[in-house]
Amino acid sequence: MQLYNTLSAKEREALIEEAGKDRLTISFYKYAHIGNPQILRNHLFLAWNDMEVLGRIYVAREGINAQLSVPADNFNVFKEHLDSISFLENVRLNIAIEQDNKSFLKLKVKVRKKIVADGLNDDTFDVTNKGIHVGAEQFNELIEDENTVLVDMRNHYESEIGHFKNAVTPDVDTFRDSLDIIEQDLAEHKEDKKLVMYCTGGIRCEKASAYYKHKGFKNVYQLEGGIIEYTRQVREKQLENKFLGKNFVFDHRRGERISEEVIAHCHQCGKPCDTHVNCANEACHLLFIQCEECAEKMNNCCSVDCMEVHALPYEEQKRLRKGKGASNKIFKKGRSPVLKYKK
């Protein structure tokens, strides 16, 4: 019984190209009480592997968080399988705004302590006592209210390339960091202000809304389905789009264009740009914003040092990496001092 992926990314990419069929990039989450996450994990892997589903899925006792690439031909079968699982029946699926057949190249289903790393002790509050969910139309009305504080619950590198007009965008590296900052900044307005939050697909706001209600905030709202669902509703209902720039996504695409504005800058030369890349030096892999001109000039690297390493024969690069842990720049997300125009 095969319970783990056996193909490399390159092998899977070749199979996708050979098949020549469209795939759908989909995400969903659900908070629920799962007794044995490992059993659910194995069940999902076996079923989805047969459907040629790819993606990154986290299963924990508190629920499931999934980002997937599903063959369009198998979507109905996939949906039927989801509906056969009691707590996932009719779960909302966020369909990507921009499709890419290679958004994911492996199926990874992992058991984690939590489906979002938040650093919270969930025993101290009820995670199901969430805030009010609002659709795009009501959200647009809410954020024009002078008594509303609009907060981006994502990390700095996400909001750097795109965010809603007039949103508070905490300069944080993790979701957990933003929780304390927002609570401190709004401590005097727990009763008189409307706290409206948004994130990519809704999962972070779901936990944050319950947390802030526990902390005494009286009027807590979250954007239903996050930026992805907002964009779908705006286009379907022809509403005013109040989002500027790109929506950062956690797959090979790295971003979906929501509006034509480019609000970020190349981290190397400073020109307008909102294209995230990873440094080509595998020992670095820093995530940063790089324009086409700098990509050509720097050979897709973040620094001269990385260029020199990347220019070495591959076996020599492997030899240099041997026995060393991953560079901590992997986790810096555009914070490296080698980047002249970082945020």
Side-chain angles (χ1 to χ4, degrees):
M1 183 166 56
Q2 181 187 331
L3 288 172
Y4 297 93
N5 179 75
T6 57
L7 295 177
S8 69
K10 287 186 177 180
E11 289 171 329
R12 178 63 69 178
E13 185 174 4
L15 288 175
I16 290 173
E17 291 178 352
E18 183 180 337
K21 294 183 178 181
D22 289 335
R23 302 179 68 89
L24 300 174
T25 301
I26 297 169
S27 61
F28 71 87
Y29 72 91
K30 185 73 173 182
Y31 282 101
H33 298 295
I34 299 175
N36 192 323
Q38 187 66 45
I39 290 177
L40 177 61
R41 180 264 169 213
N42 292 346
H43 171 73
L44 294 178
F45 185 92
L46 289 171
W48 292 352
N49 191 51
D50 285 346
M51 299 177 204
E52 298 183 348
V53 172
L54 305 172
R56 184 189 306 113
I57 302 94
Y58 298 140
V59 180
R61 291 191 179 275
E62 67 173 4
I64 183 171
N65 180 15
Q67 292 89 42
L68 307 165
S69 172
V70 181
D73 291 349
N74 290 343
F75 176 78
N76 290 336
V77 176
F78 170 75
K79 182 65 170 66
E80 288 173 4
H81 177 257
L82 281 183
D83 288 341
S84 72
I85 302 171
S86 58
F87 78 95
L88 292 178
E89 184 176 7
N90 295 321
V91 67
R92 187 194 63 251
L93 300 178
N94 282 333
I95 310 296
I97 305 303
E98 298 176 351
Q99 294 297 337
D100 184 335
N101 289 344
K102 301 174 186 176
S103 57
F104 291 99
L105 297 173
K106 292 184 178 182
L107 176 60
K108 296 182 179 180
V109 188
K110 298 184 177 182
V111 173
R112 290 283 177 90
K113 185 177 180 181
K114 293 190 175 188
I115 57 176
V116 173
D118 53 34
L120 295 175
N121 179 3
D122 293 352
D123 294 335
T124 62
F125 67 101
D126 182 2
V127 296
T128 66
N129 184 25
K130 56 194 177 186
I132 300 170
H133 287 223
V134 296
E137 190 168 2
Q138 187 179 356
F139 179 83
N140 279 356
E141 294 173 359
L142 269 174
I143 65 177
E144 293 299 329
D145 187 333
E146 62 181 13
N147 289 316
T148 290
V149 178
L150 177 62
V151 180
D152 191 322
M153 295 305 300
R154 302 171 302 154
N155 301 326
H156 76 92
Y157 57 91
E158 299 173 77
S159 60
E160 183 176 5
I161 63 169
H163 53 74
F164 281 101
K165 298 175 183 177
N166 302 319
V168 176
T169 56
D171 186 23
V172 296
D173 292 311
T174 69
F175 170 63
R176 180 66 184 91
D177 292 340
S178 66
L179 294 174
D180 291 338
I181 291 173
I182 293 164
E183 184 187 0
Q184 292 166 10
D185 289 349
L186 302 179
E188 297 179 1
H189 301 288
K190 290 186 176 182
E191 297 192 10
D192 64 321
K193 294 289 187 181
K194 297 172 183 174
L195 174 58
V196 181
M197 297 174 288
Y198 70 90
C199 56
T200 307
I203 188 171
R204 285 174 277 189
C205 294
E206 189 106 351
K207 178 67 73 71
S209 69
Y211 177 77
Y212 286 129
K213 289 184 71 175
H214 166 69
K215 288 292 187 175
F217 286 85
K218 302 301 182 186
N219 305 296
V220 182
Y221 301 82
Q222 74 173 85
L223 178 58
E224 172 75 22
I227 299 163
I228 298 172
E229 176 63 12
Y230 173 87
T231 305
R232 188 193 69 78
Q233 291 184 21
V234 162
R235 294 179 180 180
E236 184 179 276
K237 300 178 180 180
Q238 297 186 324
L239 303 174
E240 180 184 358
N241 175 31
K242 295 181 179 290
F243 189 89
L244 304 172
K246 271 185 175 180
N247 177 31
F248 185 94
V249 293
F250 294 89
D251 58 54
H252 289 289
R253 297 171 299 152
R254 299 191 185 91
E256 298 178 316
R257 181 153 304 284
I258 309 301
S259 75
E260 294 307 312
E261 293 96 342
V262 176
I263 67 171
H265 299 84
C266 173
H267 286 164
Q268 291 177 316
C269 72
K271 70 175 288 186
C273 177
D274 54 12
T275 301
H276 272 109
V277 300
N278 288 106
C279 179
N281 174 14
E282 292 187 20
C284 172
H285 206 65
L286 175 72
L287 180 74
F288 67 108
I289 297 174
Q290 186 179 53
C291 68
E292 292 182 359
E293 289 84 353
C294 287
E296 183 175 355
K297 176 183 175 182
M298 301 295 294
N299 195 19
N300 302 304
C301 293
C302 71
S303 66
V304 173
D305 287 347
C306 282
M307 283 179 64
E308 292 175 353
V309 173
H310 185 51
L312 295 173
Y314 185 67
E315 291 302 317
E316 178 65 12
Q317 293 183 48
K318 287 177 65 177
R319 188 189 68 77
L320 291 174
R321 293 198 303 269
K322 188 175 182 180
K324 295 182 180 180
S327 163
N328 65 356
K329 288 201 293 182
I330 289 176
F331 306 104
K332 292 298 182 182
K333 311 292 187 186
R335 300 274 202 200
S336 173
V338 303
L339 302 173
K340 184 178 180 181
Y341 292 93
K342 62 182 181 293
K343 184 179 177 182

